[in-house]
Amino acid sequence: LNAGHTVGVSTGGIAEIFQSNNDHETIILSSRRGVVRLAFLSGAALVPCYLFGNSIALSQWYDKGGFLEKWSRRLRVSIFVTWGRWYLPIPYRVPILGVMGVPIFVEKTASPSDEQIDAVHKELIRRMQELFDTHKHAYGWGDKKLIIK
């Protein structure tokens, strides 16, 4: 970032694998402020992005008791049963729609205050929700909700 290069950061990971379902998409962002701090330290803009269809490219099975989620967190590796075409880990042929929002520009700051970070973090969350709600109809997900935890 300090050299002027662009870095993409995607939400996702162990926490989100076990949260999304057919009724809603879930991203874990409310407690993750580090990306905002990095933006301030480097002066890089934050660009809200979302991939529609990514969560349906593979089928997944989760145990209802939470055993797999518990062990995934403990081992820091995702443990879940997944399959796609021909019951192999080959994704289904589904369209993926990537959308990008308006950049959130921040001024390079060596020691950003908690108030600065909080303000930009709230704006990032607001814009992520707005981006999802604006484009979900184009993907055919008019009734689907985005839950930001």
Side-chain angles (χ1 to χ4, degrees), residues 54-96:
N54 198 40
S55 61
I56 59 171
L58 292 165
S59 295
Q60 300 168 56
W61 173 85
Y62 309 107
D63 64 307
K64 294 192 189 310
F67 177 80
L68 293 178
E69 182 176 8
K70 177 181 158 187
W71 278 99
S72 292
R73 288 182 181 279
R74 182 169 283 159
L75 298 173
R76 299 182 59 102
V77 63
S78 301
I79 303 170
F80 60 100
V81 179
T82 187
W83 66 93
R85 290 186 282 163
W86 310 294
Y87 294 97
L88 296 171
I90 299 172
Y92 298 117
R93 292 181 183 215
V94 296
I96 304 290

Side-chain angles (χ1 to χ4, degrees), residues 26-141:
T26 301
I27 59 173
I28 309 296
L29 187 59
S30 294
S31 62
R32 298 188 174 164
R33 300 168 6 131
V35 68
V36 177
R37 182 177 299 282
L38 272 177
F40 274 110
L41 293 175
S42 65
L46 293 163
V47 182
C49 301
Y50 198 85
L51 288 176
F52 290 89
N54 198 40
S55 61
I56 59 171
L58 292 165
S59 295
Q60 300 168 56
W61 173 85
Y62 309 107
D63 64 307
K64 294 192 189 310
F67 177 80
L68 293 178
E69 182 176 8
K70 177 181 158 187
W71 278 99
S72 292
R73 288 182 181 279
R74 182 169 283 159
L75 298 173
R76 299 182 59 102
V77 63
S78 301
I79 303 170
F80 60 100
V81 179
T82 187
W83 66 93
R85 290 186 282 163
W86 310 294
Y87 294 97
L88 296 171
I90 299 172
Y92 298 117
R93 292 181 183 215
V94 296
I96 304 290
L97 171 64
V99 295
M100 296 173 65
V102 177
I104 302 169
F105 295 100
V106 297
E107 196 171 315
K108 187 173 181 175
T109 307
S111 297
S113 69
D114 286 340
E115 292 80 20
Q116 288 175 301
I117 292 170
D118 285 343
V120 173
H121 187 243
K122 285 178 185 172
E123 181 64 11
L124 177 60
I125 289 172
R126 186 190 71 74
R127 291 203 194 177
M128 287 293 292
Q129 186 70 59
E130 180 180 73
L131 188 67
F132 183 88
D133 291 340
T134 299
H135 297 284
K136 68 181 183 178
H137 297 283
Y139 192 74
W141 282 2

